[in-house]
Structures are given as structure tokens and as C-alpha cells.
Amino acid sequence: MEGEPTADLIRAQLRRARASKGLSQEDFGKRVNYSGSQVSAVELGQRPLDKLFLTRADEVLETGELLVSLLKLAERDGEPSWFMPWLDAERNAKQLRYYNPTVIPGLLQTAAYARRIFRFDDHRLEEEVDRLVQSRLERHEILTSNSPPQVVAVVDEVALRHCDQIMREQLAHLLKMAELPNVHILIIPSSTGLHVGWCGPLALAMGGDGGWVGQLDSQLTGTVVDVQDDVATLLARWESIRNEALPRQQSIKLMKEVESQHGSQ
């Protein structure tokens, strides 16, 4: 099992433990308050791992805290354990949607930009920052994989115009990513004014089963959203945000314009 991604290792251990107890997915699901199809989706990677689910699974399967402990190994790889369910959803997604009113989404950040973001926490040691940056860059691999997801990222123009020396490189990277057929980067011009997106950033992932999950960030932590009504609300807000953005080619034109202005600063 050495070298196997943590999420895959958790699923493998979950399947083994369930089988050793002689439980079908349906029977196991009843004991953890999941349907058999939901258990199947978790085991196949079509539904993100969740700490509450794994805690209950450890209890039912009498595995101690094995599954939850494996989830916590994400911290060793440079990500907090609360972020692991979203990484899992992102890695297995068929479609991804991102919006942030003030910064570039993590999946599209350069190493220098990500490093600057992580250094906002001045208690972090340089070694920890290095691990976080490396982990973030590894996420980018899904954009050019053999079967990449469709990615739509909406960014406010204000996020492009930060007066910082790293922004020209970041803008050049965005333009390069925008050349990929599966990546759409849409810009909301500053002239738009206030809109629903200013309530906060959000991300959405559609898995192989067609179901959506969301992810919300705060100053301290993040939350994966998979309750149907809440996901529906996020999808509706996402559509409202996207409707404020320029079309793809106009967005690219604006990014090029801002890039040239950073070069003259």
C-alpha cells in the first residue's frame, strides 16, 4: 500500500473492513445512516470522504480509529484534515466551478502566488510553507490529466489588479491555463459593482455519479457541503455570479490588458 494516495488507502481499508464483517453495502449503509448507493459512491471515489462518516464506520466496523487516523494523514502531506474531503472531490470531479472575489483560485495559482497566500499566517515555519506550496502545485496535475475535468473559474477584476511584483507572472499563468480547452477563466469587470459573489468564495465539484458537492472557506477552516438543499443554493448562486462575468474571449482580452499594465509598473 506504500505510495498509494491517502484517499485511495482509506477506501481500500473501508472495503476490506466491511467485507471482513460480512456486510453488504446496503447492510453497512443502514448502520451508518447511508443508503447502499451512497456507500458504493464513497468506495468508488464518486462521493468525497467525510470525517463523520468515517467516525461512524470505525465504530460499526470496530476498526478503532483507523479510518479517521488515515484521514488525518493528509496533514502530513501538507493539507489540514478538514480539507481532505474537498481534495478528494476535486481529484475525482468531472466538472469544477470556482469563485473568489479577492484572490486567484488555488487550482490556478503559481508557486510564488501560493507562497504569498500561505505566508499570510506569520506563525508558519518555512518548511510548512514549502509543503503547502508543493501540495497545491500537485493539485494542478488534474488540469492536464488524460481525462481532465471541465473547469470554470470566475474571478473579479480586482483580484487581477493587486499591485504586487508576482502578479505579472500570475497573469501570464492564467492566460496559459485559459488556452486549455477544458479550462474557462471568466472575469467580472470592476464596473459591475456589488453582486452576490461578494458574500464569499465558493467551489463546486460534480462527481462521476452526477452529484454535486460544495466547499466554503472561512478565516479558520473550510466546510464541505453535500446536503441537497444547500448544494442547490450554492449552484443557484454560482449561476448568478457567472452571469455577471464577461464571455471567455472578452475575459482573456481583459487579462491581457491588465498583464500589460503590470509590466509597465
Side-chain angles (χ1 to χ4, degrees), residues 75-79 115 118-119 121-136:
E75 294 180 347
R76 182 196 66 184
D77 298 329
E79 296 288 358
R115 186 174 298 277
F118 288 129
R119 279 180 173 165
D121 183 348
D122 54 14
H123 294 291
R124 284 193 175 115
L125 299 176
E126 190 64 25
E127 293 80 2
E128 182 183 2
V129 172
D130 288 342
R131 288 197 303 272
L132 289 169
V133 171
Q134 182 59 33
S135 179
R136 179 152 295 184

Side-chain angles (χ1 to χ4, degrees), residues 83-101:
F83 197 47
M84 185 67 179
W86 174 253
L87 290 181
D88 191 31
E90 185 180 75
R91 186 181 302 114
N92 293 285
K94 299 300 182 183
Q95 295 184 34
L96 289 165
R97 305 287 184 261
Y98 298 95
Y99 169 73
N100 196 302

Side-chain angles (χ1 to χ4, degrees), residues 79 107 137 166 250:
E79 296 288 358
L107 200 65
L137 294 181
I166 65 173
Q250 290 183 36

